[in-house]
Amino acid sequence: MNRLAQEKSPYLLQHQHNPVDWYPWGEEAFDRARSDDRPIFLSIGYSTCHWCHVMERESFEDEEVAHLMNEAFVSIKVDREERPDIDNLYMTVCQMMGGHCGWPLNVILTPEKKPFFSATYIPKVSRQGRIGMMELIPRVAELWMERKDEVTASANEITAALRGTFDVPSGSRGIDEDWLLIAFTQLEGRFDMVHGGFGSAPKFPSPHNLLFLLRYWSRTGEEKALGMVTKTLVGMRLGGMYDHVGFGFHRYSTDETWLLPHFEKMLYDQAMLVMAYIEGYQATGQETFARTAREVLSYVTRDMQSPEGGFYSAEDADSEGEEGKFYVWSVEELNELLDTEDAAWIAERLNAKKEGNFRDEATGRPAGENILFLKTALEDAERARWSTIRERLFQRRELRIHPHKDDKILTDWNGLMIAAFAKAGAVLGEPEFTETATAAADFILSKLRTPEGKLLHRWRDGEGGLVATSTDYV
């Protein structure tokens, strides 16, 4: 075991058996870097991150890579969900440096924490124009030994530019009503009129955009704004990004049609999307929006609520080392489970095909597995039939090996989920949602505060910890 074995974070604990000599973020690591005159390899991720798992398997569990890292660097692991402040800082660096940004986020720093290199996923060996760890580490070590003054000067320039991004220019324009029209116009220009949503692939649900558009419609009467929201809410609910069997939304769609998701489920996505569907229901009266909110909340209470009342953080995309394996179905399994008529109905209405209904990203060929999705909404008469079939599918799926659950409870994400339950309880007139919100709020206010009344950020294994950030208080 390395030093991460003493941590509470599920993400850090995933790396406790790596041969990399990991440190958690703290003065011990920085003191070591200064005393040994070594750069710092900072790796930021989270426990349900698919590409974090890939990089761990390829590099951080590999003895060759670990040997190079231990010789060249002081290596630090950070859970971005525990330390959003650190993540935000170095993600800004990545964006400034013009790279592809995401997680895992890998940044190389001077011992004074000043960055001079950033990247996301790095393979073990170079391929497809992407430098590998086996080539990167010796290059950085050589630069540090022979051209340290240049590296330090570059890090100082990046740090100075980073400071500038947080400065508000003198005389800058305040936010006034004109900005509402600017925001609406920009969203309208990016809107996908065929499938809903904004931009192309990969397509994120972006519920904050939908909430803005609903308010813009309410304020101005602009019907295009409401139409954009309605189209998007319907498209997401029909597509494979929605878990039709177990409920809840996956992280995002890898295509523009909402079919093939990145399968992880995040608590904050469930919260924000419930709010969007509830407000969509208020604006349109469409019962399917209310039904979607109820289903998502039932998933959260079933799978994401702790016995103490708080809400867990996320569920992984992977199970048994394969992304999405828990969620997909073969026609053979459906035929085995259902009678002939129901299996045929599933094939027709939820688009299950013998050859599979999505393409394997690695080969481009149909994968032989199916993501259940709808092309058109179910009629009232069909919903009762689907309810019975869905329950059988759900019970079968429960026998599979489940994805990893990140069971830490975060104050800020719980705040969003409490708001979603409270809003649903008020709008739908369902007191059990309000009671769930109340229980979670009681948990946060009783367990995640110091004796002096200040908030803490994280609860896990019966213990609160980490100083709260601004998002926790918000």
Side-chain angles (χ1 to χ4, degrees), residues 379-420:
E379 302 292 338
D380 289 344
E382 294 178 301
R383 270 198 294 273
R385 182 177 193 178
W386 168 237
S387 179
T388 301
I389 295 173
R390 188 203 69 80
E391 184 60 30
R392 295 190 66 187
L393 297 180
F394 177 77
Q395 294 302 331
R396 169 63 69 91
R397 199 176 79 174
E398 283 294 282
L399 301 177
R400 298 175 179 175
I401 295 174
H402 282 240
H404 157 73
K405 194 190 306 288
D406 188 324
D407 62 356
K408 68 180 180 293
I409 297 172
L410 299 174
T411 298
D412 49 359
W413 294 11
N414 270 249
L416 287 174
M417 202 70 244
I418 289 164

Side-chain angles (χ1 to χ4, degrees), residues 281-303:
Y281 168 68
Q282 287 180 291
T284 66
Q286 290 195 30
E287 183 58 34
T288 186
F289 295 162
R291 187 181 305 112
T292 301
R294 289 189 186 96
E295 289 177 356
V296 173
L297 294 176
S298 72
Y299 155 70
V300 172
T301 53
R302 184 190 70 222
D303 290 348

Side-chain angles (χ1 to χ4, degrees), residues 53-343:
H53 301 331
V54 174
M55 188 166 178
E56 181 184 20
R57 287 195 299 268
E58 291 182 354
S59 294
F60 301 145
E61 292 179 348
D62 184 88
E63 295 285 350
E64 286 183 291
V65 174
H67 176 72
L68 290 179
M69 290 181 68
N70 294 339
E71 289 288 315
F73 302 127
V74 171
S75 298
I76 298 177
K77 262 287 173 200
V78 166
D79 182 338
R80 78 167 184 105
E81 295 167 357
E82 284 200 339
R83 294 301 305 267
D85 51 339
I86 298 170
D87 177 57
N88 180 59
L89 184 70
Y90 289 107
M91 186 60 73
T92 304
V93 169
C94 181
Q95 292 163 348
M96 284 173 45
M97 296 175 76
H100 176 72
C101 298
W103 299 277
L105 176 61
N106 298 294
V107 188
I108 303 179
L109 321 172
T110 69
E112 292 72 37
K113 310 175 192 173
K114 296 178 180 180
F116 59 89
F117 173 87
S118 71
T120 53
Y121 159 74
I122 307 171
K124 177 182 176 181
V125 296
S126 301
R127 63 172 185 264
Q128 298 176 337
R130 187 188 292 265
I131 192 169
M133 293 290 283
M134 296 298 294
E135 293 77 31
L136 173 67
I137 299 169
R139 274 194 215 178
V140 173
E142 182 182 357
L143 279 172
W144 189 255
M145 291 293 294
E146 298 180 5
R147 298 163 63 184
K148 188 188 303 179
D149 289 347
E150 295 176 38
V151 173
T152 302
S154 174
N156 288 335
E157 287 180 18
I158 293 168
T159 302
L162 177 65
R163 289 196 182 101
T165 65
F166 295 101
D167 294 335
V168 178
S170 60
S172 61
R173 177 182 172 185
I175 295 177
D176 56 30
E177 191 164 328
D178 292 343
W179 285 109
L180 303 180
L181 177 59
I182 292 169
F184 167 72
T185 303
Q186 290 186 357
L187 289 173
E188 185 183 22
R190 294 174 48 221
F191 183 67
D192 181 344
M193 292 185 290
V194 178
H195 306 291
F198 304 93
S200 56
K203 187 177 284 183
F204 286 80
S206 303
H208 49 287
N209 291 345
L210 305 179
L211 292 168
F212 166 78
L213 289 170
L214 284 165
R215 285 157 175 74
Y216 187 81
W217 162 78
S218 179
R219 183 186 184 103
T220 66
E222 175 55 75
E223 290 297 326
K224 287 183 182 176
L226 182 59
M228 290 157 67
V229 173
T230 303
K231 180 87 176 170
T232 303
L233 292 178
V234 170
M236 290 191 299
R237 176 62 177 80
L238 295 178
M241 206 186 80
Y242 187 71
D243 179 1
H244 291 266
V245 173
F247 305 145
F249 282 93
H250 297 297
R251 185 72 184 91
Y252 61 85
S253 177
T254 63
D255 57 67
E256 63 185 12
T257 68
W258 306 112
L259 168 60
L260 178 58
H262 177 43
F263 285 92
E264 67 183 311
K265 291 180 177 179
M266 311 299 292
L267 183 71
Y268 57 81
D269 285 330
Q270 314 309 317
M272 293 295 291
L273 283 163
V274 164
M275 288 190 247
Y277 276 92
I278 287 291
E279 293 194 13
Y281 168 68
Q282 287 180 291
T284 66
Q286 290 195 30
E287 183 58 34
T288 186
F289 295 162
R291 187 181 305 112
T292 301
R294 289 189 186 96
E295 289 177 356
V296 173
L297 294 176
S298 72
Y299 155 70
V300 172
T301 53
R302 184 190 70 222
D303 290 348
M304 300 297 285
Q305 188 173 23
S306 72
E308 301 93 343
F311 302 108
Y312 301 134
S313 294
E315 290 191 302
D316 210 321
D318 298 14
S319 57
E320 301 180 74
E322 185 178 327
E323 182 176 5
K325 185 172 183 178
F326 181 74
Y327 296 101
V328 297
W329 301 85
S330 68
V331 165
E332 289 76 14
E333 187 175 11
L334 294 172
N335 288 337
E336 173 195 333
L337 182 60
L338 305 172
D339 64 35
T340 303
E341 288 186 4
D342 284 344

